[in-house]
Amino acid sequence: MTHTLRRRTRWWSVSGALTAAALASVAITAPAGADTTASEPTSGAPTTKIVGGEPASTTEYPWVVYLTDSGGNQFCGGTIAAKNKVVTAAHCVTGGAPRQITVVAGRDDKTTDEGVEAEVRTVWVHPEYQSASTGSDIAVLTVDRELPQTPLPLATQQDNALYAPGAATTVLGWGTTEEGGGPSRTLLQAHPPITSDQDCSRAYGGQYNPDAMVCAGLPEGGEDSCQGDSGGPLVADGRLIGIVSWGNGCARPGTPGVYTRVSTYQQEVQAQLG
Ligand code: 4AZ
């Protein structure tokens, strides 16, 4: 199957920076309520209207951040988990020099200069990470200052109920508002329910590892994260339960979004939060 996940394998190279930014800067498929004028995706997606998103604000979700490259292009999301620590996807940050990544907090609209920008000093990538679809797609960024925004707690092994099939979630990001579309200028949210392990295995076979991942999406599609949302938060009950990781297209019926299962990694990640 064709996964649309963009692995940022070359974004840090001089020649590849622009290309990688262009590839990676697409993300949350979440447009507001009813954009009936949205054009159809050019390929593949049976669900072609903008997928069930709506505007969101860092006033309500202070811990959601985005990452920019050295050219100032947004390429991924993240979550403030301690004063100077941001949790994101490993696939967002592997290979690059930390100083080329900037964390932008407290800015809903990418075209403004609201909020704060922090430089990344160090990057911790889960030691078992190889690729998004093999799991451990989690990383912790240490930034050069204490951020004023309230951090979001990580889900722990005690939070199993938050992963029950059908449970409500919120996913946030500045990524694309439809599969194959352009990135969002402003922060969006969508509310895909948790998918059962059985349904997610049906969609992805052996690539879905329920210990390392959790899926979310409606059976009929329509609400999902997308390119550029990678690394951003999937939230339930005031806890970070998932990290946008991969999927087959965006918001398609039968292929939910796949998220890093944060509770599995909570102890190791918490140890990085100081
Ligand atoms: C991506 O390319 C991506 N629908 C993120 C999330 C999903 C698919 C692709 C899930 O960053």
Short mmCIF file of all heavy atoms in Angstrom, two decimals, residues 3-7 23-24 26-29 75-76 91-92 176 179 204 216 223-231 244-252 255-259, ligand 1:
data_model
loop_
_atom_site.label_atom_id
_atom_site.label_comp_id
_atom_site.label_asym_id
_atom_site.label_seq_id
_atom_site.Cartn_x
_atom_site.Cartn_y
_atom_site.Cartn_z
N HIS A 3 1.82 4.44 1.61
CA HIS A 3 1.69 5.28 2.78
C HIS A 3 2.12 6.69 2.43
O HIS A 3 3.10 6.88 1.72
CB HIS A 3 2.54 4.75 3.93
CG HIS A 3 1.99 3.48 4.47
ND1 HIS A 3 2.64 2.72 5.39
CD2 HIS A 3 0.84 2.84 4.22
CE1 HIS A 3 1.92 1.65 5.67
NE2 HIS A 3 0.83 1.71 4.97
N THR A 4 1.41 7.65 2.95
CA THR A 4 1.75 9.02 2.60
C THR A 4 2.72 9.65 3.58
O THR A 4 3.11 10.78 3.41
CB THR A 4 0.51 9.91 2.53
OG1 THR A 4 -0.11 9.86 3.80
CG2 THR A 4 -0.42 9.43 1.45
N LEU A 5 3.05 8.90 4.61
CA LEU A 5 4.00 9.45 5.57
C LEU A 5 5.26 9.93 4.86
O LEU A 5 5.87 9.22 4.09
CB LEU A 5 4.37 8.35 6.56
CG LEU A 5 5.48 8.71 7.52
CD1 LEU A 5 4.99 9.77 8.47
CD2 LEU A 5 5.91 7.48 8.24
N ARG A 6 5.61 11.15 5.15
CA ARG A 6 6.86 11.66 4.60
C ARG A 6 7.93 11.50 5.64
O ARG A 6 7.90 12.12 6.68
CB ARG A 6 6.75 13.15 4.28
CG ARG A 6 5.92 13.59 3.11
CD ARG A 6 5.58 12.58 2.11
NE ARG A 6 5.09 13.23 0.90
CZ ARG A 6 3.87 13.03 0.42
NH1 ARG A 6 3.03 12.24 1.03
NH2 ARG A 6 3.49 13.63 -0.68
N ARG A 7 8.89 10.65 5.39
CA ARG A 7 10.01 10.53 6.31
C ARG A 7 11.01 11.59 5.96
O ARG A 7 11.38 11.75 4.82
CB ARG A 7 10.62 9.15 6.19
CG ARG A 7 9.54 8.10 6.37
CD ARG A 7 9.79 7.18 7.50
NE ARG A 7 11.19 6.98 7.77
CZ ARG A 7 11.88 5.97 7.31
NH1 ARG A 7 11.32 5.07 6.57
NH2 ARG A 7 13.13 5.85 7.64
N LEU A 23 7.97 18.72 1.09
CA LEU A 23 7.35 17.42 1.26
C LEU A 23 6.73 17.27 2.63
O LEU A 23 5.66 16.71 2.80
CB LEU A 23 8.39 16.31 1.08
CG LEU A 23 8.86 16.08 -0.35
CD1 LEU A 23 10.01 15.08 -0.35
CD2 LEU A 23 7.71 15.57 -1.20
N ALA A 24 7.44 17.78 3.61
CA ALA A 24 7.03 17.49 4.98
C ALA A 24 6.03 18.50 5.52
O ALA A 24 5.41 18.26 6.53
CB ALA A 24 8.25 17.47 5.88
N VAL A 26 3.19 19.37 4.77
CA VAL A 26 1.77 19.17 4.62
C VAL A 26 1.20 18.44 5.83
O VAL A 26 1.69 17.42 6.15
CB VAL A 26 1.55 18.33 3.39
CG1 VAL A 26 0.92 19.16 2.35
CG2 VAL A 26 2.83 17.77 2.93
N ALA A 27 0.21 18.85 6.44
CA ALA A 27 -0.32 17.99 7.53
C ALA A 27 -1.76 17.97 8.04
O ALA A 27 -2.46 17.19 7.58
CB ALA A 27 0.52 18.05 8.68
N ILE A 28 -2.36 18.49 9.11
CA ILE A 28 -3.67 17.99 9.65
C ILE A 28 -4.83 18.10 8.70
O ILE A 28 -5.16 19.15 8.28
CB ILE A 28 -4.08 18.70 10.92
CG1 ILE A 28 -3.82 17.76 12.06
CG2 ILE A 28 -5.53 19.01 10.96
CD1 ILE A 28 -4.52 17.98 13.29
N THR A 29 -5.44 17.02 8.50
CA THR A 29 -6.58 17.02 7.60
C THR A 29 -7.80 17.44 8.33
O THR A 29 -8.63 16.66 8.61
CB THR A 29 -6.83 15.62 7.17
OG1 THR A 29 -5.60 15.11 6.88
CG2 THR A 29 -7.71 15.55 6.00
N PHE A 75 7.23 21.94 9.57
CA PHE A 75 7.26 20.59 8.99
C PHE A 75 6.67 19.53 9.89
O PHE A 75 6.42 18.42 9.43
CB PHE A 75 8.70 20.21 8.60
CG PHE A 75 9.67 20.12 9.75
CD1 PHE A 75 9.80 18.94 10.47
CD2 PHE A 75 10.45 21.21 10.10
CE1 PHE A 75 10.69 18.84 11.52
CE2 PHE A 75 11.35 21.13 11.17
CZ PHE A 75 11.47 19.94 11.88
N CYS A 76 6.45 19.80 11.16
CA CYS A 76 5.91 18.81 12.08
C CYS A 76 5.27 19.53 13.27
O CYS A 76 5.38 20.76 13.40
CB CYS A 76 7.01 17.88 12.61
SG CYS A 76 7.30 16.39 11.59
N HIS A 91 10.48 10.34 13.61
CA HIS A 91 10.67 10.50 12.16
C HIS A 91 10.72 11.97 11.76
O HIS A 91 11.15 12.29 10.65
CB HIS A 91 9.64 9.70 11.36
CG HIS A 91 8.32 10.36 11.16
ND1 HIS A 91 7.21 10.07 11.92
CD2 HIS A 91 7.91 11.29 10.27
CE1 HIS A 91 6.18 10.79 11.50
NE2 HIS A 91 6.58 11.54 10.51
N CYS A 92 10.29 12.85 12.66
CA CYS A 92 10.40 14.29 12.38
C CYS A 92 11.81 14.83 12.54
O CYS A 92 12.15 15.85 11.95
CB CYS A 92 9.49 15.07 13.33
SG CYS A 92 7.73 14.93 12.96
N THR A 176 -1.76 19.50 6.45
CA THR A 176 -2.67 19.69 5.32
C THR A 176 -4.11 19.45 5.70
O THR A 176 -4.44 18.60 6.53
CB THR A 176 -2.32 18.77 4.15
OG1 THR A 176 -2.28 17.43 4.62
CG2 THR A 176 -0.98 19.13 3.57
N GLU A 179 -5.95 15.35 1.95
CA GLU A 179 -4.88 14.55 1.38
C GLU A 179 -4.41 15.17 0.06
O GLU A 179 -5.20 15.44 -0.83
CB GLU A 179 -5.39 13.13 1.15
CG GLU A 179 -4.31 12.18 0.71
CD GLU A 179 -4.84 10.76 0.56
OE1 GLU A 179 -5.79 10.39 1.28
OE2 GLU A 179 -4.30 10.04 -0.29
N TYR A 204 -3.94 -2.57 8.34
CA TYR A 204 -2.50 -2.46 8.11
C TYR A 204 -1.73 -3.77 8.28
O TYR A 204 -0.49 -3.77 8.14
CB TYR A 204 -1.91 -1.40 9.03
CG TYR A 204 -2.43 0.00 8.74
CD1 TYR A 204 -3.21 0.69 9.66
CD2 TYR A 204 -2.15 0.60 7.51
CE1 TYR A 204 -3.69 1.96 9.38
CE2 TYR A 204 -2.62 1.87 7.22
CZ TYR A 204 -3.39 2.55 8.16
OH TYR A 204 -3.85 3.80 7.87
N ALA A 216 -6.66 5.78 15.28
CA ALA A 216 -7.86 6.58 15.52
C ALA A 216 -8.44 7.00 14.18
O ALA A 216 -7.70 7.38 13.26
CB ALA A 216 -7.53 7.80 16.37
N GLU A 223 -12.22 12.20 9.40
CA GLU A 223 -11.53 13.00 10.43
C GLU A 223 -10.18 12.36 10.67
O GLU A 223 -10.11 11.21 11.07
CB GLU A 223 -12.31 13.02 11.75
CG GLU A 223 -13.57 13.83 11.71
CD GLU A 223 -14.06 14.19 13.11
OE1 GLU A 223 -13.25 14.70 13.91
OE2 GLU A 223 -15.24 13.94 13.39
N ASP A 224 -9.15 13.12 10.42
CA ASP A 224 -7.81 12.50 10.50
C ASP A 224 -6.74 13.58 10.58
O ASP A 224 -6.97 14.74 10.25
CB ASP A 224 -7.59 11.65 9.23
CG ASP A 224 -6.50 10.60 9.37
OD1 ASP A 224 -5.93 10.45 10.47
OD2 ASP A 224 -6.23 9.93 8.36
N SER A 225 -5.56 13.13 11.02
CA SER A 225 -4.35 13.92 10.85
C SER A 225 -3.81 13.65 9.45
O SER A 225 -4.23 12.72 8.78
CB SER A 225 -3.33 13.52 11.91
OG SER A 225 -3.16 12.12 11.92
N CYS A 226 -2.86 14.47 9.03
CA CYS A 226 -2.32 14.29 7.68
C CYS A 226 -0.89 14.84 7.64
O CYS A 226 -0.30 15.15 8.67
CB CYS A 226 -3.23 14.97 6.67
SG CYS A 226 -3.07 14.35 4.98
N GLN A 227 -0.36 14.96 6.47
CA GLN A 227 1.03 15.37 6.32
C GLN A 227 1.27 16.73 6.98
O GLN A 227 0.51 17.66 6.78
CB GLN A 227 1.40 15.45 4.85
CG GLN A 227 1.39 14.09 4.19
CD GLN A 227 1.43 14.20 2.69
OE1 GLN A 227 1.33 15.28 2.14
NE2 GLN A 227 1.58 13.07 2.04
N GLY A 228 2.36 16.80 7.73
CA GLY A 228 2.68 18.03 8.46
C GLY A 228 2.17 18.03 9.89
O GLY A 228 2.60 18.85 10.70
N ASP A 229 1.22 17.14 10.16
CA ASP A 229 0.76 16.98 11.55
C ASP A 229 1.65 16.04 12.33
O ASP A 229 1.55 15.96 13.56
CB ASP A 229 -0.67 16.43 11.57
CG ASP A 229 -1.67 17.40 11.00
OD1 ASP A 229 -1.52 18.60 11.24
OD2 ASP A 229 -2.61 16.96 10.30
N SER A 230 2.49 15.32 11.64
CA SER A 230 3.37 14.36 12.30
C SER A 230 4.07 14.97 13.51
O SER A 230 4.49 16.14 13.47
CB SER A 230 4.43 13.86 11.32
OG SER A 230 3.92 12.84 10.51
N GLY A 231 4.19 14.17 14.54
CA GLY A 231 4.84 14.63 15.77
C GLY A 231 3.89 15.32 16.72
O GLY A 231 4.20 15.49 17.90
N VAL A 244 1.20 11.80 16.31
CA VAL A 244 0.90 11.57 14.89
C VAL A 244 2.11 10.91 14.24
O VAL A 244 3.22 11.44 14.30
CB VAL A 244 0.56 12.90 14.18
CG1 VAL A 244 0.28 12.63 12.69
CG2 VAL A 244 -0.62 13.60 14.84
N SER A 245 1.88 9.75 13.62
CA SER A 245 3.01 8.96 13.13
C SER A 245 2.91 8.59 11.65
O SER A 245 3.77 8.93 10.87
CB SER A 245 3.17 7.72 13.99
OG SER A 245 4.31 6.96 13.62
N TRP A 246 1.85 7.85 11.25
CA TRP A 246 1.76 7.43 9.85
C TRP A 246 0.34 7.00 9.52
O TRP A 246 -0.55 7.04 10.38
CB TRP A 246 2.77 6.31 9.53
CG TRP A 246 2.63 5.03 10.30
CD1 TRP A 246 3.03 4.80 11.58
CD2 TRP A 246 2.05 3.81 9.83
NE1 TRP A 246 2.75 3.51 11.94
CE2 TRP A 246 2.14 2.88 10.88
CE3 TRP A 246 1.46 3.42 8.62
CZ2 TRP A 246 1.66 1.56 10.76
CZ3 TRP A 246 1.00 2.10 8.49
CH2 TRP A 246 1.09 1.19 9.56
N GLY A 247 0.14 6.58 8.29
CA GLY A 247 -1.17 6.11 7.86
C GLY A 247 -1.20 5.97 6.35
O GLY A 247 -0.29 6.43 5.66
N ASN A 248 -2.26 5.34 5.87
CA ASN A 248 -2.47 5.23 4.43
C ASN A 248 -3.33 6.40 3.99
O ASN A 248 -4.53 6.41 4.21
CB ASN A 248 -3.13 3.90 4.10
CG ASN A 248 -3.43 3.76 2.62
OD1 ASN A 248 -2.69 4.26 1.77
ND2 ASN A 248 -4.52 3.10 2.29
N GLY A 249 -2.73 7.38 3.38
CA GLY A 249 -3.49 8.57 2.99
C GLY A 249 -4.01 9.28 4.22
O GLY A 249 -3.48 9.14 5.33
N CYS A 250 -5.07 10.03 4.06
CA CYS A 250 -5.65 10.79 5.16
C CYS A 250 -7.16 10.75 5.08
O CYS A 250 -7.74 11.03 4.02
CB CYS A 250 -5.19 12.24 5.10
SG CYS A 250 -3.40 12.45 5.07
N ALA A 251 -7.77 10.39 6.18
CA ALA A 251 -9.23 10.44 6.32
C ALA A 251 -9.97 9.50 5.38
O ALA A 251 -11.15 9.68 5.13
CB ALA A 251 -9.74 11.88 6.16
N ARG A 252 -9.28 8.50 4.87
CA ARG A 252 -9.95 7.54 4.00
C ARG A 252 -10.76 6.55 4.83
O ARG A 252 -10.36 6.21 5.95
CB ARG A 252 -8.92 6.74 3.19
CG ARG A 252 -8.05 7.58 2.29
CD ARG A 252 -7.13 6.67 1.49
NE ARG A 252 -6.14 7.42 0.74
CZ ARG A 252 -5.33 6.87 -0.16
NH1 ARG A 252 -5.39 5.57 -0.39
NH2 ARG A 252 -4.46 7.60 -0.81
N THR A 255 -8.94 3.08 6.70
CA THR A 255 -7.52 3.18 7.06
C THR A 255 -7.31 4.36 8.00
O THR A 255 -7.03 5.48 7.59
CB THR A 255 -6.59 3.31 5.84
OG1 THR A 255 -6.94 4.45 5.06
CG2 THR A 255 -6.65 2.06 4.98
N PRO A 256 -7.44 4.07 9.31
CA PRO A 256 -7.30 5.12 10.32
C PRO A 256 -5.88 5.66 10.39
O PRO A 256 -4.93 5.05 9.88
CB PRO A 256 -7.67 4.40 11.62
CG PRO A 256 -7.41 2.95 11.35
CD PRO A 256 -7.70 2.75 9.89
N GLY A 257 -5.73 6.80 11.03
CA GLY A 257 -4.41 7.33 11.32
C GLY A 257 -3.73 6.48 12.39
O GLY A 257 -4.38 5.93 13.28
N VAL A 258 -2.42 6.35 12.29
CA VAL A 258 -1.65 5.56 13.25
C VAL A 258 -0.79 6.51 14.09
O VAL A 258 -0.12 7.39 13.55
CB VAL A 258 -0.76 4.52 12.55
CG1 VAL A 258 -0.14 3.57 13.58
CG2 VAL A 258 -1.57 3.73 11.52
N TYR A 259 -0.84 6.28 15.39
CA TYR A 259 -0.18 7.14 16.37
C TYR A 259 0.75 6.32 17.24
O TYR A 259 0.46 5.15 17.55
CB TYR A 259 -1.25 7.80 17.27
CG TYR A 259 -2.20 8.68 16.49
CD1 TYR A 259 -3.28 8.14 15.79
CD2 TYR A 259 -2.01 10.05 16.42
CE1 TYR A 259 -4.14 8.94 15.03
CE2 TYR A 259 -2.85 10.87 15.67
CZ TYR A 259 -3.92 10.29 14.99
OH TYR A 259 -4.75 11.10 14.24
C1 4AZ B 1 2.30 12.38 7.28
O1 4AZ B 1 2.66 12.22 6.12
C2 4AZ B 1 1.08 11.70 7.74
N1 4AZ B 1 -3.57 10.07 8.34
C3 4AZ B 1 0.63 11.94 9.02
C4 4AZ B 1 -0.52 11.31 9.46
C5 4AZ B 1 -1.20 10.45 8.64
C6 4AZ B 1 -0.76 10.21 7.36
C7 4AZ B 1 0.38 10.84 6.91
C8 4AZ B 1 -2.43 9.80 9.14
O2 4AZ B 1 2.94 13.10 8.04
#
